[in-house]
Amino acid sequence: MAVDLEVRSTKKARKSALDRDVAMTLAATEYDRVVTMFEDFTVEQWAMSTDCPGWDVRAMAGHMLGMAQMVATLPELIRQQATSQRSAKKNGGVSIDSLTALQVAKNANLTAGELVENMRRVAPRAVRGRRRVPAIILNRRMPEAQGVGSQLELWTFGYLFDVILTRDPFMHRLDITQATGVPMRATADHEGVLVDDIVREWAGRHDREFSLELSGPAGGTWGTGTGKRMAMDAFKFCRILAGRKPATGLLAQQVPF
């Protein structure tokens, strides 16, 4: 059944709340985390199903590599965007779905070893590509509205390059740990910073009183001093906000990853 989506705003586009240097440090560390995770997979783990329909770990890794490849060079960025937009227009789909499908297909024929090596090689180039985007572009509004839960909203390119392109592999690492049982590598100075940004954005989106305590190395406490107390694992919280798990109340307010 088709669902009509409401565009949240026709004027204001969401911006990154992160300092640019912090955002690029997070990007570099996140790519390093991805490479380290990929290096340790067994043949069986590559084939395990994830929560993303139709994707096993290998397909998800192909998308993660493809997204890094996209931002590593301007020609590849233009190519992937143009190809996915043509596909979406032709098939009546959504551009992001066409883009991720393109990325999975692009890297489908790589061996596991080649995929890991490609990710290791492209990661620093992806960070450089993201860092080099000029402020005039970062502050510009993206032409296509993005779906978040049941609504469409507008983003700046800065929100995409500084926030979403790091949250995406972070969430997929959570997907992979859920699928394989491989422990999630986490520290307060990386995952903790990502979670803090996610919590603050979530709080701003629902704009209601709350009290939140998240456990684990990426956890902490946040709140307005009042409101019903919520306590859970930090990564479970992120998966809920990403729509990976059922949610009610304030947790039903999704945040994009």
Side-chain angles (χ1 to χ4, degrees):
M1 179 177 69
V3 177
D4 291 331
L5 299 182
E6 174 189 355
V7 177
R8 191 184 302 272
S9 170
T10 58
K11 295 181 180 180
K12 293 184 179 180
R14 184 165 291 276
K15 298 180 179 180
S16 169
L18 294 170
D19 174 84
R20 192 93 215 283
D21 287 339
V22 170
M24 292 302 99
T25 297
L26 291 171
T29 302
E30 185 57 36
Y31 288 137
D32 286 344
R33 294 276 210 266
V34 170
V35 172
T36 300
M37 172 177 268
F38 286 179
E39 288 174 335
D40 293 334
F41 288 154
T42 65
V43 172
E44 293 77 17
Q45 287 170 333
W46 281 113
M48 290 179 175
S49 298
T50 73
D51 287 341
C52 294
W55 282 5
D56 57 13
V57 171
R58 176 62 183 75
M60 183 170 283
H63 151 63
M64 294 163 76
L65 171 60
M67 196 67 86
Q69 291 168 327
M70 181 184 74
V71 296
T73 67
L74 182 58
E76 182 63 11
L77 175 64
I78 294 171
R79 188 192 74 80
Q80 287 199 30
Q81 290 292 322
T83 302
S84 62
Q85 288 169 5
R86 285 196 301 270
S87 177
K89 185 176 181 180
K90 177 181 178 180
N91 299 317
V94 180
S95 293
I96 186 61
D97 293 337
S98 297
L99 177 64
T100 57
L102 171 69
Q103 292 164 344
V104 172
K106 170 183 171 65
N107 294 307
N109 293 326
L110 296 177
T111 67
E114 288 170 339
L115 191 149
V116 175
E117 183 54 37
N118 273 268
M119 189 71 205
R120 183 184 294 110
R121 178 173 51 81
V122 79
R125 294 165 55 197
V127 177
R128 287 196 297 271
R130 290 167 61 178
R131 186 183 292 277
R132 288 172 179 169
V133 178
I136 192 172
I137 299 297
L138 295 174
N139 292 326
R140 188 171 295 174
R141 190 173 71 185
M142 293 174 59
E144 186 177 21
Q146 306 297 313
V148 181
S150 61
Q151 292 184 307
L152 291 172
E153 64 182 30
L154 300 168
W155 296 352
T156 62
F157 282 102
Y159 184 69
L160 172 67
F161 279 93
D162 287 1
V163 177
I164 296 300
L165 289 176
T166 300
R167 282 187 192 169
D168 181 69
F170 165 66
M171 178 52 59
H172 287 321
R173 284 198 296 129
L174 293 179
D175 292 330
I176 290 170
T177 62
Q178 185 75 13
T180 64
V182 171
M184 179 75 172
R185 183 180 176 187
T187 60
D189 60 359
H190 178 65
E191 286 77 8
V193 178
L194 292 175
V195 170
D196 178 71
D197 183 54
I198 291 162
V199 172
R200 291 175 185 275
E201 181 177 321
W202 167 77
R205 283 174 176 272
H206 65 66
D207 195 26
R208 293 167 61 186
E209 302 289 334
F210 75 100
S211 176
L212 178 67
E213 181 177 348
L214 300 180
S215 57
T221 58
W222 295 262
T224 56
T226 59
K228 183 179 179 181
R229 180 178 177 272
M230 294 174 284
M232 66 187 71
D233 175 76
F235 296 145
K236 178 181 178 181
F237 173 80
C238 291
R239 284 174 52 78
I240 291 172
L241 298 195
R244 300 293 201 267
K245 300 173 71 67
T248 58
L250 294 184
L251 294 178
Q253 172 59 64
Q254 291 193 8
V255 172
F257 285 82

